[in-house]
Amino acid sequence: MRSGILFITRNYPPKVGGLEEYSYHLIREFESRVTTFKITLSKSKKHLVWFLPYSFFKALYLIRKFSVSHVHLCDGMLAPVGRLLKGLTGTTVTATVHGLDITYRNPFYQKVIPLCIESLDRIVCVSRSTRDALLKRAHIFPENCVVIPNGVNPDEMFSYRSKAELLRECEALRQLSLPNRKILFTLGRLVKRKGVAWFVEQVMPKLPEEYVYLVAGAGPEKDPIKEIIRRYQLEKRVFLMGAVSNEIRQMFYNLADIFIMSNITVPGDVEGFGIVAIEAGSCGLPVVATDIQGIRDAVIDKKTGFLIREGDVEGFVEKITGMNLKKDSVRKAVLSKFNWKRISEEYREFLFS
């Protein structure tokens, strides 16, 4: 009799990112409850060349040796591996689709991946937007494709330290003195769809001088953003922090006053969910975000933050300067919906029903 579940992921710590966080926490929750196996990649994307065949043969071995009853792929790009495993072993194979893994604009990719996803048994999508994108590209019965959001652990990012203590730590670690300032914070890869350049250029000049903007992350948009900062003379109000450690990330989540997700629409590059929105909310940090794509499922409008029409400068300014959400209520709302304990139960019900 078959039993146990095998997870395959190409995104796993110590690599840092939303997919890495998702894979780690989902697998950890299952490891504490059922017989669990995992095949993971903790290195850069260039290692995919060997990881895909390796994961197939390793999975084949585990399925046959331990009679694994279920394989779950942690993102849609792994669907070819799942299709082969299902065809050769008859094992139930499911996958989670996040966004870019189904919308990636490459003709060959679009011919192969949706077709392979169609052959799997059932699919989880992290947001309604991702589900809509998948159903447009793959012939899947809607009842076999459900939405389960990403999750967050209640105390992973939350700090009980006072703001005064965090300010002192910030000054010591990053040489930033921010007393009596309203702190806006963004965390993520600096790519066009994140809208950081747009926010710095369009919104920051219209905010009162007391507002400063801390941006943590690296990416190709760094130099264009630096040029905007220079052009608008925002050197004392906008700070590019580069890639940061978990320690610094936690400090900023708990030190800041508002988290910013000013995404813009970029064809073929979507925000499937936005784990940073619920990480921020788990620290009581309200989010002001663009009302597009998977962000709509990560921010509970008027409870954990505010969703603003794309490109609405005055809307961002109004909600930032008039922020009235309390940290305790934000944290409570996020944890009631996105706690990993609850999310993992939804996965168990979906995978084994």
Side-chain angles (χ1 to χ4, degrees):
M1 180 178 178
R2 291 181 178 271
S3 64
I5 184 168
L6 166 64
F7 290 95
I8 305 177
T9 176
R10 63 186 177 95
N11 300 91
Y12 204 72
K15 283 170 56 180
V16 177
L19 281 172
E20 287 77 10
E21 291 289 322
Y22 156 82
S23 298
Y24 172 77
H25 289 296
L26 178 65
I27 293 171
R28 187 176 71 170
E29 289 295 333
F30 270 79
E31 284 177 331
S32 66
R33 304 182 187 195
V34 300
T35 301
T36 302
F37 305 88
K38 62 186 178 185
I39 302 172
T40 66
L41 176 63
S42 304
K43 299 179 180 180
S44 64
K45 292 180 181 178
K46 66 181 181 181
H47 292 277
L48 277 173
V49 175
W50 63 262
F51 179 74
L52 292 177
Y54 165 78
S55 64
F56 167 72
F57 287 111
K58 180 69 178 290
L60 199 61
Y61 165 76
L62 292 172
I63 291 168
R64 289 174 172 170
K65 181 173 178 60
F66 298 101
S67 299
V68 173
S69 63
H70 201 117
V71 175
H72 186 74
L73 312 172
C74 288
D75 81 278
M77 206 211 79
L78 297 170
V81 173
R83 180 174 182 168
L84 289 172
L85 291 173
K86 179 176 170 59
L88 285 173
T89 68
T91 301
T92 298
V93 181
T94 56
T96 296
V97 175
H98 299 265
L100 186 58
D101 50 349
I102 189 62
T103 65
Y104 182 59
R105 297 181 76 186
N106 176 284
F108 178 74
Y109 187 94
Q110 285 300 320
K111 285 184 178 180
V112 173
I113 299 302
L115 185 65
C116 290
I117 290 177
E118 289 175 11
S119 70
L120 307 184
D121 291 285
R122 302 181 76 191
I123 306 296
V124 175
C125 293
V126 298
S127 68
R128 292 166 293 173
S129 171
T130 297
R131 183 176 185 270
D132 290 343
L134 175 62
L135 292 177
K136 286 179 182 177
R137 292 164 173 81
H139 300 291
I140 298 172
F141 290 114
E143 59 269 26
N144 288 335
C145 182
V146 304
V147 174
I148 302 177
N150 285 311
V152 65
N153 278 343
D155 296 320
E156 184 170 5
M157 289 294 155
F158 183 70
S159 174
Y160 291 94
R161 291 174 294 173
S162 68
K163 186 163 185 175
E165 184 179 353
L166 290 167
L167 283 168
R168 289 194 296 270
E169 181 180 349
C170 179
E171 187 168 0
L173 292 176
R174 306 297 300 202
Q175 297 183 336
L176 275 176
S177 182
L178 302 171
N180 304 316
R181 309 300 292 271
K182 292 286 188 180
I183 302 171
L184 310 178
F185 178 47
T186 285
L187 171 70
R189 182 164 163 73
L190 299 183
V191 293
K192 189 173 182 179
R193 71 177 164 90
K194 296 294 185 180
V196 174
W198 175 86
F199 185 85
V200 173
E201 183 171 19
Q202 299 293 327
V203 181
M204 281 303 298
K206 295 193 175 185
L207 291 173
E209 289 290 323
E210 66 188 280
Y211 285 87
V212 297
Y213 186 30
L214 309 182
V215 181
E221 285 284 285
K222 178 182 177 180
D223 287 340
I225 295 168
K226 288 176 69 175
E227 172 57 24
I228 294 169
I229 293 170
R230 184 200 63 78
R231 190 188 321 147
Y232 287 86
Q233 299 180 344
L234 293 168
E235 290 88 350
K236 294 184 179 180
R237 297 182 59 208
V238 180
F239 303 94
L240 300 184
M241 315 300 296
V244 298
S245 65
N246 280 341
E247 178 188 15
I248 299 296
R249 176 171 60 151
Q250 181 189 45
M251 179 182 69
F252 286 150
Y253 272 144
N254 290 274
L255 176 61
D257 296 286
I258 300 171
F259 192 81
I260 302 296
M261 292 187 73
S262 52
N263 288 53
I264 60 176
T265 300
V266 174
D269 192 6
V270 300
E271 193 72 63
F273 181 76
I275 287 180
V276 289
I278 61 174
E279 285 184 344
S282 74
C283 300
L285 185 59
V287 182
V288 178
T290 309
D291 186 14
I292 61 173
Q293 301 165 0
I295 297 174
R296 293 173 176 144
D297 285 16
V299 177
I300 308 172
D301 195 32
K302 301 179 180 64
K303 289 187 177 181
T304 67
F306 294 98
L307 293 169
I308 311 298
R309 181 170 51 87
E310 183 176 4
D312 184 358
V313 174
E314 295 305 325
F316 269 90
V317 171
E318 177 187 347
K319 293 305 181 184
I320 289 169
T321 57
M323 177 58 67
N324 58 2
L325 296 179
K326 304 298 183 184
K327 288 204 167 190
D328 287 347
S329 63
V330 170
R331 176 169 160 81
K332 182 178 180 181
V334 166
L335 296 184
S336 69
K337 183 173 182 178
F338 299 110
N339 192 321
W340 258 118
K341 293 293 182 185
R342 173 179 173 172
I343 300 303
S344 65
E345 285 298 331
E346 291 187 43
Y347 263 94
R348 288 186 69 193
E349 181 178 349
F350 170 77
L351 294 175
F352 298 119
S353 61

